[in-house]
Amino acid sequence: MSIEQCVIIDLPVIHDPRGNLTFIESNRHIPFGIERVYYLYDVPGGAERGGHAHKKLQQFIIAMSGSFDIIIDDGFNKRRIHLNRSYYGLYLCPMIWREIDNFSSGSVCMVLASASYDESDYFRNYDEFLKAVQDSQ
Ligand code: TYD
């Protein structure tokens, strides 16, 4: 898996003077079925989230409000991506180490996930993640 596979996906926008509307359908706008939704909010200034990778989980991350940065790392290359709109998001394939920081005040980070919560799907130790990446080459 490579950070090149982690792409920004633009979502449909129904423009309306009463307020815009965006929608997301499983396997149509994003390349997986949505099994779980969670969100980060009330993040204190300077806090960092993430700091892990997933073995199989696919995710799609949207800045529903405000902004933040996601640093993605496939064990070889790293990239920092700024998210600040609710009409696009970042697709994360499995085996990508991610950190999320630079949260603006009042920001909401919504994550659509391909599976239910499963602690055994996590790499929470960076060296173990790197070893797994190297072993898979
Ligand atoms: P974690 O995934 O480490 O959060 P982040 O990536 O934002 O730093 O999860 C933090 C805690 O929340 C951890 O104890 C597991 C729990 N959790 C659930 O119970 N269900 C979930 O769907 C998620 C994402 C986390």
Side-chain angles (χ1 to χ4, degrees):
M1 296 292 174
S2 142
I3 58 169
E4 300 304 319
Q5 292 163 266
C6 299
V7 289
I8 295 286
I9 298 176
D10 290 315
L11 299 167
V13 182
I14 310 292
H15 294 280
D16 191 308
R18 299 170 301 164
N20 298 332
L21 184 152
T22 283
F23 54 97
I24 307 167
E25 292 178 10
S26 290
N27 294 307
R28 181 174 171 215
H29 303 109
I30 55 173
F32 60 84
I34 301 163
E35 186 71 29
R36 174 169 52 119
V37 178
Y38 66 92
Y39 32 95
L40 303 170
Y41 56 99
D42 290 348
V43 179
E48 290 176 15
R49 301 294 312 225
H52 62 252
H54 286 282
K55 297 171 188 171
K56 293 195 176 140
L57 191 73
Q58 300 176 74
Q59 293 177 307
F60 185 68
I61 304 184
I62 307 167
M64 293 304 282
S65 181
S67 64
F68 47 82
D69 291 354
I70 308 178
I71 304 102
I72 54 173
D73 175 351
D74 58 18
F76 298 99
N77 296 295
K78 253 188 192 191
R79 194 150 62 102
R80 177 179 285 269
I81 296 157
H82 185 64
L83 293 185
N84 62 354
R85 292 285 184 271
S86 52
Y87 53 79
Y88 63 77
L90 176 66
Y91 168 71
L92 285 186
C93 62
M95 293 302 285
I96 300 292
W97 189 269
R98 88 290 307 275
E99 278 155 24
I100 312 177
D101 66 11
N102 199 23
F103 286 90
S104 70
S105 153
S107 57
V108 179
C109 169
M110 185 173 80
V111 184
L112 311 182
S114 63
S116 304
Y117 174 73
D118 175 7
E119 186 60 36
S120 70
D121 187 64
Y122 280 73
F123 281 105
R124 291 199 181 270
N125 177 290
Y126 187 71
D127 290 338
E128 285 172 19
F129 163 72
L130 271 188
K131 185 172 182 314
V133 168
Q134 284 156 7
D135 288 352
S136 70
Q137 292 301 300

